[in-house]
Amino acid sequence: MRPGFPAPTPLLPMPTRALAAVNPHIFRYKWHFLGGVLFVILSTLLTIFPAQLVRYSFDLVNEGIDLYHLYAGTQSQAGVYQLFGRNVLFYGMVIIALALLRGIFLFFMRQTLIVMSRRVENDQKNQIYQHYQSLPLSFYRRHSTGDLMSRISEDVGRVRMYLGPGIMYFLQLVLLFVLVVPLMLLVNVKLTVLTLLPLPILSVSIFYVNNLIEKKSDDIQRALAAMTTFTQEAFSGIRVLKSFVRQEDSSEQFQVSTNEYKDKSLSLNFVNSLFFPLILFLVGISTIVTVWIGGQEVIRGTITTGSIAEFIIYVNLLTWPVTALGWTSSLVQRAEASQARINEFLDEKTDIVSRHNVEREITGDIVFDHVTFTYPDTGITALRDVSFRIQKGQTLAVIGNTGSGKSTIAALLCRLYDVTDGTIRVDGVDVRDYALTSLREQIGYVPQDVFLFSDSIRNNINFGLDQPDEARMSQAARDADVYDNIIRFPEGFDTKVGERGITLSGGQKQRVSMARALVKEPKILILDDSLSAVDTKTENAILDSLQRVMKNRTSLIISHRVSSVKLADEILVIDDGQIVQHGPHATLMAEADGLYRALYERQLQTEATVD
Ligand SMILES: Nc1ncnc2c1ncn2[C@@H]1O[C@H](COP(=O)(O)OP(=O)(O)O)[C@@H](O)[C@H]1O
Ligand SMILES: [Mg+2]
């Protein structure tokens, strides 16, 4: 879209190419849709028909009064009065009955079309969410969380506005025009042309004003989002905020952000305030024209006073759809932009796909064969020509400074990314040939940045299981050395963590996260710096129990601490993405000028000072 000006969209809300994507959804609810069309037709017919009755009754009243005066002083005057009263009453009743019936049809019109739009909205949200789940990590690095969320809520909501109110009012408008304008022309051509003249102006101005309103609403939304983010962050970081004595400063910043929100809201209110008077003014002009010109025609005797009444009703009937035309056009325009954004996401394909869908139980023989990896988005080469082998049941440790590429090895093994060069084989089969779920289900991965859901500890540990088992869970918690901590909480395993729950210490979180991987009884266990926040005593206890649990399984232990890796069968020392040393603890210690020895001595010193 061109900045500054609203895009030159046709005023008629025709479904465009991007919006064609929702047609299959409409088709799924075709009965709702067709029912909706039927009820729009019925209710519109019942809107128009009473206008004719009104004209008829008006003229009847006129004639009745004339007749009544004619019979003045005679016996039959009372009879005339009665007859005429009964007639008027009858028409009045019919008009009321029709209005009631129309109300019923309007009810069903909303029950079909608006219900359809809500269901499609729901389907679309689920479709998008499901699609999100299939997309690779690189996708999530390219898009912010807010962006992903607004696709699912805001954009889908705008498409719903097109499907529900947009289609509904557009149908109403077309029908009304097709039926009413000929009726008006039948009454009087000149009057019709003159009264309809202000309506296009109304429609076009509403289109522009509405675009302005929507733009301002968006600004308000953004200001609100900024305010929410700011507040949320301030509350999450309240400890930092207080300890650095920044309360005043924070309050001032908050004031700036609320002021912005206020200014934008006032600006929207200003436009809104002009909006309705403008509509009423233009509608008023039409009514005045009808009465004025119509009156002249009545004097000339070309039409009756009843026709004026009928005309005023018609003009009023047309006002709303004409207003809605401008409104629905801008609505469709926005829906189109939103659907285009949604389509852009739905068209995005994951590049992590299985080549052969191999599904088999793995034994855990891992080979990295000249693996080189460059992160696609940053262009950082994290691994260079890395080759090693872990035999089934063995433990390999990877040690190195931060940023040396350790976590990347874990990510590649889980296929969160695909290698740039070389191959990774598990049991002799390229990881790209495994069915993704089969491979990942057999790997227990404890990522470096621990994440626990705001849920019970039980659900956090059993996260990867379809059928949780109490005994397995307790055992996993024991192996991760967190069982005693958990049962000391007031509600044991049912204790909630995260927001509105208890706060776990860093080490406790790491161990719960580890229990989550252990409970899967994986064939391959990957610990990515998962013991960094526990003390050396707990670390040793965990490593001990891991040796028992992982006896027939393969483990990859990543750490920057020598204490975590020294028991491993083999140790890889990596530096700047390359393997610089390789061997068991004793061998590496013997290399006097190696990086391993240097790390060991450095850490021994810090530990000595800490203790
Ligand atoms: N998701 C990512 N996207 C782009 N670059 C990354 C990503 N993760 C890590 N890197 C970069 O790759 C290099 C290796 O990182 P990493 O494997 O996390 O090291 P370590 O785990 O040894 O600290 C670093 O230079 C880091 O900046
Ligand atoms: Mg790391």
Side-chain angles (χ1 to χ4, degrees):
M1 208 189 292
R2 271 172 254 162
F5 292 97
T9 314
L11 218 52
L12 287 186
M14 282 296 168
T16 45
R17 233 178 310 151
L19 280 174
V22 294
N23 289 347
H25 290 287
I26 299 182
F27 191 72
R28 188 168 324 134
Y29 298 108
K30 53 182 173 298
W31 296 118
H32 279 92
F33 181 73
L34 293 176
V37 174
L38 177 73
F39 288 122
V40 169
I41 294 175
L42 288 176
S43 62
T44 309
L45 284 177
L46 285 181
T47 314
I48 297 166
F49 189 51
Q52 312 230 344
L53 288 183
V54 166
R55 173 190 20 117
Y56 197 77
S57 350
F58 251 83
D59 292 344
L60 198 75
V61 172
N62 262 348
E63 281 166 29
I65 291 172
D66 290 346
L67 216 61
Y68 184 72
H69 288 310
L70 206 65
Y71 282 83
T74 68
Q75 278 281 302
S76 18
Q77 196 182 25
V80 170
Y81 181 78
Q82 247 181 13
L83 185 72
F84 148 73
R86 260 207 302 277
N87 272 340
V88 171
L89 185 68
F90 172 74
Y91 282 112
M93 298 295 257
V94 171
I95 289 172
I96 290 176
L98 289 180
L100 282 177
L101 201 58
R102 174 172 170 245
I104 293 173
F105 287 139
L106 282 178
F107 169 77
F108 283 113
M109 174 182 85
R110 294 192 145 265
Q111 279 297 306
T112 45
L113 283 178
I114 304 289
V115 165
M116 174 190 82
S117 72
R118 286 290 183 187
R119 297 218 166 150
V120 172
E121 177 188 31
N122 188 41
D123 289 356
Q124 260 202 329
K125 277 185 181 167
N126 284 313
Q127 187 191 6
I128 297 172
Y129 187 76
Q130 220 169 29
H131 189 71
Y132 277 173
Q133 305 290 312
S134 75
L135 293 173
L137 281 188
S138 50
F139 169 83
Y140 288 93
R141 281 186 61 88
R142 266 183 285 125
H143 299 277
S144 71
T145 312
D147 193 19
L148 300 183
M149 287 187 6
S150 76
R151 292 283 193 281
I152 253 184
S153 52
E154 260 173 62
D155 285 335
V156 171
R158 283 183 196 160
V159 174
R160 177 184 67 77
M161 288 299 280
Y162 151 72
L163 283 173
I167 288 184
M168 189 169 79
Y169 291 129
F170 183 65
L171 281 174
Q172 263 186 341
L173 165 83
V174 171
L175 266 170
L176 270 176
F177 257 85
V178 168
L179 295 171
V180 168
V181 174
L183 283 176
M184 290 171 81
L185 288 173
L186 268 180
V187 177
N188 190 298
V189 178
K190 185 174 153 205
L191 197 56
T192 308
V193 174
L194 285 175
T195 45
L196 291 187
L197 265 182
L199 294 186
I201 305 173
L202 181 65
S203 200
V204 172
S205 48
I206 284 171
F207 175 73
Y208 285 107
V209 171
N210 204 56
N211 271 345
L212 193 66
I213 288 181
E214 300 283 14
K215 211 179 120 307
K216 288 190 183 292
S217 307
D218 284 351
D219 286 349
I220 290 181
Q221 272 301 316
R222 261 193 295 277
L224 186 67
M227 202 166 80
T228 316
T229 313
F230 178 82
T231 328
Q232 205 174 14
E233 212 154 80
F235 293 150
S236 314
I238 191 76
R239 287 189 217 186
V240 182
L241 211 119
K242 279 186 183 295
S243 58
F244 282 76
V245 208
R246 302 309 296 170
Q247 292 100 313
E248 292 239 335
D249 186 52
S250 178
S251 298
E252 270 163 32
Q253 272 180 302
F254 182 71
Q255 214 165 38
V256 170
S257 123
T258 48
N259 268 339
E260 191 176 327
Y261 179 74
K262 180 201 70 191
D263 291 343
K264 292 195 163 142
S265 302
L266 290 181
S267 151
L268 174 68
N269 186 48
F270 180 75
V271 179
N272 266 336
S273 308
L274 284 179
F275 192 51
F276 285 101
L278 174 78
I279 296 179
L280 290 180
F281 176 70
L282 289 167
V283 174
I285 288 183
S286 279
T287 311
I288 289 172
V289 169
T290 313
V291 175
W292 184 33
I293 310 282
Q296 291 174 350
E297 298 285 314
V298 172
I299 292 167
R300 241 184 276 144
T302 40
I303 57 171
T304 61
T305 38
S307 299
I308 295 186
E310 185 188 0
F311 236 85
I312 290 179
I313 293 181
Y314 286 151
V315 169
N316 277 310
L317 280 183
L318 288 183
T319 318
W320 165 237
V322 166
T323 316
L325 179 63
W327 182 60
T328 46
S329 313
S330 86
L331 210 133
V332 168
Q333 193 185 35
R334 285 162 67 81
E336 194 203 331
S338 285
Q339 185 65 42
R341 270 198 298 271
I342 293 174
N343 291 348
E344 184 195 324
F345 267 18
L346 289 180
D347 289 341
E348 190 123 7
K349 292 275 176 294
T350 175
D351 45 359
I352 311 274
V353 283
S354 172
R355 296 189 303 206
H356 293 297
N357 269 316
V358 176
E359 281 193 43
R360 65 147 90 148
E361 201 162 315
I362 56 179
T363 61
D365 181 70
I366 302 168
V367 173
F368 268 57
D369 190 2
H370 299 287
V371 170
T372 295
F373 179 70
T374 306
Y375 277 100
D377 42 341
T378 54
I380 294 175
T381 302
L383 293 178
R384 281 194 192 85
D385 198 24
V386 167
S387 298
F388 62 86
R389 176 167 185 195
I390 322 174
Q391 270 157 8
K392 169 184 168 258
Q394 283 210 319
T395 302
L396 176 90
V398 179
I399 191 169
N401 290 316
T402 40
S404 55
K406 304 183 299 293
S407 296
T408 308
I409 293 181
L412 289 179
L413 188 54
C414 295
R415 266 201 96 192
L416 295 179
Y417 296 94
D418 271 337
V419 294
T420 313
D421 223 342
T423 42
I424 300 173
R425 285 190 292 275
V426 173
D427 291 2
V429 177
D430 194 320
V431 285
R432 284 170 290 193
D433 292 336
Y434 280 99
L436 211 54
T437 47
S438 166
L439 178 75
R440 287 185 186 157
E441 263 165 14
Q442 302 183 66
I443 296 179
Y445 173 40
V446 186
Q448 183 170 14
D449 39 353
V450 176
F451 182 82
L452 298 182
F453 296 94
S454 301
D455 199 344
S456 64
I457 294 181
R458 175 191 308 282
N459 289 344
N460 265 297
I461 293 182
N462 287 331
F463 185 69
L465 300 183
D466 292 328
Q467 267 121 23
D469 179 279
E470 196 69 21
R472 250 171 93 171
M473 177 185 69
S474 306
Q475 190 54 47
R478 280 201 185 90
D479 291 335
D481 202 33
V482 68
Y483 185 82
D484 292 336
N485 285 279
I486 295 173
I487 55 169
R488 250 182 275 132
F489 292 139
E491 287 166 81
F493 277 94
D494 292 312
T495 308
K496 295 253 187 301
V497 296
E499 263 189 39
R500 275 175 291 144
I502 60 159
T503 310
L504 298 180
S505 75
Q508 285 169 338
K509 278 190 206 156
Q510 281 190 336
R511 283 176 283 156
V512 170
S513 164
M514 194 180 304
R516 170 155 71 200
L518 289 177
V519 80
K520 280 169 77 181
E521 298 181 351
K523 293 289 165 359
I524 298 172
L525 178 74
I526 305 171
L527 302 185
D528 190 353
D529 238 339
S530 310
L531 299 170
S532 59
V534 300
D535 56 80
T536 356
K537 203 169 122 257
T538 315
E539 183 181 21
N540 283 331
I542 295 174
L543 288 173
D544 260 358
S545 54
L546 279 187
Q547 280 201 322
R548 193 171 34 74
V549 189
M550 297 307 292
K551 207 157 55 207
N552 292 312
R553 304 188 167 104
T554 309
S555 0
L556 177 66
I557 296 177
I558 294 169
S559 180
H560 66 280
R561 281 208 315 222
V562 175
S563 55
S564 307
V565 305
K566 59 178 185 242
L567 292 176
D569 299 311
E570 291 236 26
I571 300 165
L572 288 185
V573 185
I574 65 170
D575 190 27
D576 197 19
Q578 278 169 315
I579 300 181
V580 290
Q581 278 178 298
H582 188 185
H585 177 71
T587 320
L588 296 182
M589 284 300 286
E591 293 176 23
D593 52 354
L595 177 61
Y596 188 76
R597 177 99 191 221
L599 283 171
Y600 179 80
E601 271 162 12
R602 195 168 73 206
Q603 285 168 15
L604 208 64
Q605 270 171 11
T606 29
E607 239 161 69
T609 45
V610 169
D611 287 345

